[in-house]
Amino acid sequence: MKFGENEILEREQKLFSTEHRFLNRLRLDALCFQLFLLLAILAVISVCLIGAFRGIVSSAPTVNEKQILTSSKTTILYDKDGNELQRLDGSGIRQNYVALNKISMAARNAFIAADDTEYYKHHGVDIRNFFYAFYPDSASAQYAGSRRTLTQKLIRNQIFVSDNNSSSMERIVQKIQEQYLAVQFESEVGKDKILEYYLNTLYFGGNRIGIGAAAEYYFDKKAQDLTISESAVLAALAQDPAVYDPVEQQKSNSNKRTEILSVMLNMESISEDEYEDALGDNIYISLQTANQKKNGTTEAKNYYVSAVISQVISDLKERAGYSATQAYHAVYQGGLKIYTCLDSEIQSICEKEVEVQRQRTGDRKKLQLSLVFMDQSTGKVKALIGGRQGEVPQTGGNRAVDYTRQPGSMLTPLSVWLPAIDTAGMTLGTVHDDCLYSYSENGHQQNTRDQNEYQGLVTTRDSILKHLESPAVQAMESFGIQNGYDYLKKLGFSTLVEKQEDMDGNVISDVSLSLASGNLVNGVSNLDLTAAYGVLANEGKSVKPIFYTKLVDKTGNILFKNEQKSSQLLETASAWLITNVLREYIETGAGKAADLGIEKLPAAGYGASTKGNKDQWFTGYTPYYTAGIWCGYDDSGMITSDISCETLWKQIMKQVHPTKKIEKGSFKIPDDIVACNICTKCGKLAVEDLCNQALSGDTVRREYFVSGTQPTENCDCHVKYRVCKKSGKLATEKCPKSQVEERVYLIKEEQGTTKDTPYVLTPKLRSSQCNIHK
């Protein structure tokens, strides 16, 4: 930009004028004032933050050896009516305190590798964690949680037990206190003592606290003798005993152990040779052998309480963010009040009838039984039996909840026929050929096995009533194995295996045709099976089974209510159709021993025994309650007594309903259900004087359908011929009327010998003519 001489003089006069200098002074004063105001605000904020920090710090709990090792308050459990069930005071805890110099260096290094690789480098806190604490609802908060130092974890597990940190501000306060106490505690007692406390207060499952108790239980040795491989197993286990149990969850533990060993190698706490030796150590074989010597018991006096404890610990971890150790301490030593769903009246009836049944059978071989009794509309488990009366519940030994057994054909209505009807376009009248059927499974050829004789053409209803495997396999193959698997997952089966490697590296999976016959990798629990049938009873709505309704902390605050919301998993009509078949199963079918015989109170159910009679099942329901019963031996031996799950179920239900003043009920028929007469050999509309006169017997059946799926065409699988009784061939006009009869044959192409075979119209008969009467 260019200026002339006059313009330059004019600009100089303007810049140095009194008015211009005054405006500049105003601007400078305004800027100084803004800076002063900003500094004042920052000072006030700083004072407030310092005051708040001091307040938070001053209100932090005391941390000392007594608080770390002996803090305990009694937890109380109540039944549904508020009556006290049991007190948990930690008296059953197995703990063997071990000084740090009596713990092997391998064990110390393994836990440092698993929990805090920088343990001996920091002063109690990872500084990044301090700032992330102010973002409790972000990804940063998750990072901060994972970056807790070993000292912070010790304080969290032992000091902040069962505190109600429901709001963001409460979580921030606890994290600040946690970090302050970690720094303070390290300065007071030192690293080695904190590591000693930590290793002696970790929860290892089965009421075992501390590395001393864990080493003795799992390896039958002292903590000072633990090897690198054994130490890594325990370090993995302590992350979460439910997930990394080295006996029940070997694959998960093995993967975690490998991860810990790798960290130890990177930290140079073990050499390359030690790493390779530890990886090659087949530790799980010796571990199982040692583990079989003892059984860890819980503090629960009965199986219902043990189920409550398991669910509360699980919920504290999943819903409240507790660590496994913190959740365990909260339940056994945190002074909680747990309000359960137990109905003492129903529990008493169940226990009494189970003992009556056992005495009647004269069982002398320790036959075991489990029972789950629930209200399907709320999910509340009203009663539970997990083993023989008088037994002390063992950790993981609740046969109603923890044990898995093969369900056999108990699974078939749920894995095959429910999805077939609900989504695959099949109906109760769809016809399948029950015959020898071959299919490929895991590269091997398998054959179906149905009773002593294949039934031939049968409807879906008959396939269910008669436990037929061949039609089930064929149906699942047609609508897709994955569909059947997905339905079971949707129904709540928690033990299914989609795909995993076993300890030998073999791929195993439940996504296979074995689902059709109930042959699973791990089996199912009685609780899951009962809840799944409860979905049918609840008109297709699913409600998760619960053992408690409310959890209150030591200060009287409600940690959370265990409220359940139902979700519509199935079409109401589909659930009703299966229920209709299961009603027939106990009214006139194989489950007649379970028939209540109460005109105004219908019941439905299904029962089965597995191959070799190793397991017997019956699950039934009324419009109000669902109950599932299993019996068998722990060693999977053949059941030789004449115990009847159906009879036991009947006796329980006939007492519970009058006790609860329930006299009548119904399974409401959906508006879109229609009925018509069908021929059970083709599934089409029955033809009068034809289907009812079939050589194999009357094949007319009144069947139910969802409106729009009922057949519209007449039977085309039966044909009527005049046959000469003397020659057995088609009659001619020359055959005497007294020697001629009408016979209704079945038109079918046989795939093998079945019950249909004698009644099938053969090409030879069709082309024959009587050659006797000429």
Side-chain angles (χ1 to χ4, degrees):
M1 182 178 295
K2 296 181 179 179
F3 294 96
E5 182 178 352
N6 291 335
E7 285 83 358
I8 293 173
L9 289 173
E10 184 179 346
R11 184 169 179 80
E12 285 180 349
Q13 290 175 357
K14 187 175 181 181
L15 285 172
F16 292 104
S17 67
T18 303
E19 181 182 358
H20 188 75
R21 287 199 301 270
F22 179 74
L23 289 174
N24 285 339
R25 176 60 64 104
L26 282 178
R27 291 191 187 100
L28 181 61
D29 290 344
L31 179 60
C32 290
F33 178 76
Q34 288 174 357
L35 288 173
F36 175 78
L37 185 62
L38 177 61
L39 290 173
I41 292 172
L42 289 174
V44 171
I45 292 174
S46 298
V47 170
C48 291
L49 287 176
I50 292 171
F53 181 77
R54 285 180 176 176
I56 291 172
V57 167
S58 64
S59 64
T62 303
V63 179
N64 53 45
E65 182 175 6
K66 182 179 178 181
Q67 294 295 110
I68 289 290
L69 298 180
T70 62
S71 178
S72 178
K73 293 183 181 299
T74 300
T75 289
I76 306 175
L77 292 90
Y78 303 90
D79 70 7
K80 78 172 188 67
D81 297 316
N83 301 311
E84 186 175 311
L85 277 179
Q86 188 180 337
R87 290 173 175 250
L88 305 176
D89 57 9
S91 60
I93 292 175
R94 298 183 176 188
Q95 186 171 19
N96 179 19
Y97 193 92
V98 184
L100 190 64
N101 61 2
K102 297 293 184 181
I103 300 173
S104 73
M105 188 58 70
R108 300 184 219 176
N109 289 331
F111 280 86
I112 288 173
D115 295 319
D116 187 357
T117 57
E118 303 292 316
Y119 179 63
Y120 279 103
K121 297 180 181 178
H122 60 65
H123 297 287
V125 173
D126 179 342
I127 192 63
R128 290 169 293 181
N129 191 19
F130 177 83
F131 294 105
Y132 288 132
F134 293 92
Y135 301 92
D137 299 316
S138 68
S140 298
Q142 297 177 0
Y143 175 80
S146 67
R147 292 293 301 176
R148 276 188 172 96
T149 65
L150 187 148
T151 310
Q152 286 178 257
K153 290 176 182 177
L154 173 66
I155 291 171
R156 179 175 183 245
N157 289 339
Q158 302 304 115
I159 302 301
F160 294 104
V161 177
S162 72
D163 280 356
N164 183 15
N165 303 306
S166 57
S167 70
S168 298
M169 183 55 64
E170 286 173 325
R171 286 195 292 270
I172 291 174
V173 168
Q174 178 177 308
K175 286 178 182 178
I176 293 174
Q177 291 178 341
E178 186 183 283
Q179 293 166 354
Y180 167 74
L181 292 175
V183 174
Q184 181 190 57
F185 199 44
E186 281 210 0
S187 66
E188 290 177 358
V189 302
K191 292 284 188 182
D192 287 349
K193 199 64 180 177
I194 288 173
L195 181 58
E196 180 182 306
Y197 289 150
Y198 185 68
L199 295 176
N200 279 283
T201 55
L202 283 173
Y203 174 52
F204 289 89
N207 263 27
R208 287 173 290 277
I209 297 291
I211 194 169
E216 181 182 353
Y217 179 77
Y218 287 102
F219 300 108
D220 204 15
K221 59 171 58 176
K222 295 181 179 180
Q224 64 185 0
D225 299 322
L226 288 170
T227 67
I228 294 171
S229 179
E230 292 166 345
S231 299
V233 167
L234 294 183
L237 169 66
Q239 302 303 303
D240 191 333
V243 176
Y244 299 111
D245 185 287
V247 177
E248 300 297 330
Q249 304 291 340
Q250 283 191 12
K251 187 65 178 178
S252 296
N253 185 278
S254 177
N255 291 339
K256 193 68 175 178
R257 180 189 69 142
T258 301
E259 180 184 319
I260 292 170
L261 290 172
S262 179
V263 175
M264 292 175 73
L265 179 63
N266 292 335
M267 291 174 60
E268 298 183 353
S269 58
I270 59 174
S271 67
E272 188 75 40
D273 289 341
E274 288 173 324
Y275 172 74
E276 294 295 337
D277 289 343
L279 279 182
D281 183 12
N282 197 354
I283 189 68
Y284 296 98
I285 294 178
S286 59
L287 184 149
Q288 270 197 317
T289 303
N291 194 54
Q292 289 167 357
K293 296 178 182 178
K294 314 181 185 92
N295 288 309
T297 58
T298 69
E299 216 174 300
K301 292 180 180 177
N302 59 61
Y303 284 103
Y304 193 98
V305 171
S306 75
V308 173
I309 291 171
S310 294
Q311 191 169 76
V312 169
I313 288 177
S314 176
D315 286 350
L316 284 172
K317 290 189 295 183
E318 293 178 10
R319 297 171 60 176
Y322 283 38
S323 67
T325 297
Q326 191 184 22
Y328 177 84
H329 286 318
V331 169
Y332 283 97
Q333 300 172 288
L336 299 178
K337 286 182 172 58
I338 305 172
Y339 295 87
T340 76
C341 306
L342 178 69
D343 188 312
S344 297
E345 286 183 320
I346 297 177
Q347 181 73 27
S348 178
I349 291 171
C350 292
E351 290 176 354
K352 183 189 72 175
E353 287 304 320
V354 166
E355 287 308 305
V356 168
Q357 182 80 320
R358 280 187 175 135
Q359 291 174 15
R360 185 180 295 127
T361 59
D363 169 44
R364 297 179 181 178
K365 293 177 60 180
K366 292 286 186 181
L367 182 72
Q368 290 288 358
L369 182 144
S370 73
L371 180 147
V372 177
F373 191 107
M374 64 181 288
D375 179 339
Q376 65 261 13
S377 65
T378 64
K380 294 178 181 178
V381 179
K382 299 288 188 177
L384 180 139
I385 294 175
R388 296 176 74 91
Q389 193 169 350
E391 283 184 341
V392 178
Q394 299 174 359
T395 301
N398 192 326
R399 294 169 187 82
V401 178
D402 304 316
Y403 275 34
T404 57
R405 301 293 288 241
Q406 292 302 326
S409 56
M410 281 295 294
L411 203 65
T412 309
L414 307 173
S415 64
V416 179
W417 302 120
L418 189 55
I421 291 172
D422 202 44
T423 62
M426 297 186 191
T427 70
L428 291 181
T430 300
V431 169
H432 319 267
D433 193 1
D434 179 41
C435 61
L436 178 65
Y437 187 74
S438 297
Y439 60 96
S440 179
E441 186 84 311
N442 297 322
H444 301 286
Q445 203 65 18
Q446 303 283 342
N447 293 324
T448 56
R449 297 177 178 85
D450 273 345
Q451 306 179 20
N452 296 322
E453 184 178 13
Y454 287 97
Q455 303 296 302
L457 295 174
V458 291
T459 61
T460 296
R461 178 183 291 271
D462 285 329
S463 295
I464 298 173
L465 293 174
K466 296 178 180 179
H467 297 274
L468 301 181
E469 179 186 4
S470 181
V473 170
Q474 294 177 57
M476 177 171 278
E477 202 168 38
S478 69
F479 66 69
I481 299 170
Q482 188 67 48
N483 193 14
Y485 178 87
D486 291 343
Y487 258 77
L488 293 181
K489 291 293 288 185
K490 187 165 64 171
L491 288 168
F493 285 96
S494 58
T495 56
L496 298 178
V497 175
E498 184 163 12
K499 184 179 181 182
Q500 71 180 39
E501 288 186 2
D502 62 18
M503 292 301 293
D504 297 323
N506 301 314
V507 177
I508 53 178
S509 174
D510 282 323
V511 186
S512 69
L513 284 174
S514 294
L515 279 180
S517 53
N519 183 20
L520 306 177
V521 173
N522 294 325
V524 300
S525 70
N526 193 354
L527 180 66
D528 284 354
L529 191 63
T530 302
Y533 273 91
V535 175
L536 299 177
N538 199 28
E539 300 179 333
K541 295 187 286 289
S542 173
V543 185
K544 180 184 176 182
I546 59 172
F547 291 94
Y548 71 97
T549 57
K550 186 170 61 174
L551 199 60
V552 178
D553 70 13
K554 62 186 177 184
T555 62
N557 295 315
I558 296 176
L559 280 172
F560 42 75
K561 292 183 178 180
N562 207 11
E563 297 174 342
Q564 298 295 299
K565 294 182 179 180
S566 63
S567 57
Q568 193 74 41
L569 293 188
L570 317 170
E571 295 293 334
T572 303
S574 301
W576 185 89
L577 288 170
I578 298 293
T579 292
N580 184 261
V581 178
L582 302 191
R583 284 189 64 180
E584 181 177 349
Y585 183 84
I586 67 172
E587 289 173 0
T588 59
K592 190 164 177 57
D595 186 14
L596 298 179
I598 303 175
E599 183 180 354
K600 294 183 179 180
L601 187 64
Y606 204 57
S609 59
T610 57
K611 185 179 180 182
N613 201 27
K614 296 177 180 179
D615 304 275
Q616 289 185 7
W617 299 87
F618 183 80
T619 304
Y621 51 91
T622 70
Y624 305 95
Y625 299 116
T626 301
I629 300 172
W630 164 87
C631 71
Y633 295 107
D634 285 343
D635 63 1
S636 298
M638 182 188 301
I639 300 172
T640 55
S641 66
D642 59 350
I643 192 168
S644 170
C645 295
E646 288 85 352
T647 300
L648 176 58
W649 184 89
K650 172 183 176 180
Q651 294 304 320
I652 290 172
M653 286 295 186
K654 288 188 71 172
Q655 292 183 63
V656 167
H657 287 80
T659 299
K660 297 301 173 183
K661 296 180 171 51
I662 298 172
E663 298 178 351
K664 60 182 179 179
S666 64
F667 296 115
K668 184 181 177 181
I669 303 178
D671 295 335
D672 55 348
I673 293 293
V674 298
C676 59
N677 291 334
I678 66 166
C679 170
T680 58
K681 289 298 177 181
C682 66
K684 298 181 179 181
L685 294 172
V687 176
E688 191 176 353
D689 295 330
L690 185 68
C691 302
N692 60 324
Q693 295 178 7
L695 284 174
S696 59
D698 189 349
T699 63
V700 179
R701 160 108 202 184
R702 187 75 172 169
E703 192 54 271
Y704 295 96
F705 300 87
V706 178
S707 181
T709 66
Q710 69 269 32
T712 56
E713 298 177 351
N714 289 334
C715 169
D716 57 5
C717 68
H718 283 119
V719 62
K720 184 182 291 185
Y721 281 100
R722 297 173 66 253
V723 178
C724 176
K725 291 188 286 186
K726 192 168 184 179
S727 67
K729 298 180 180 180
L730 298 184
T732 66
E733 294 179 354
K734 297 181 179 180
C735 295
K737 288 186 178 181
S738 61
Q739 293 293 317
V740 176
E741 67 178 2
E742 291 184 335
R743 296 180 183 176
V744 177
Y745 288 94
L746 179 65
I747 302 174
K748 177 191 177 187
E749 185 176 338
E750 283 281 57
Q751 303 299 317
T753 302
T754 70
K755 283 188 176 181
D756 288 338
T757 304
Y759 314 111
V760 173
L761 178 64
T762 64
K764 182 178 179 181
L765 177 63
R766 183 181 297 178
S767 61
S768 70
Q769 280 192 336
C770 176
N771 55 5
I772 295 178
H773 302 103
K774 297 181 180 179

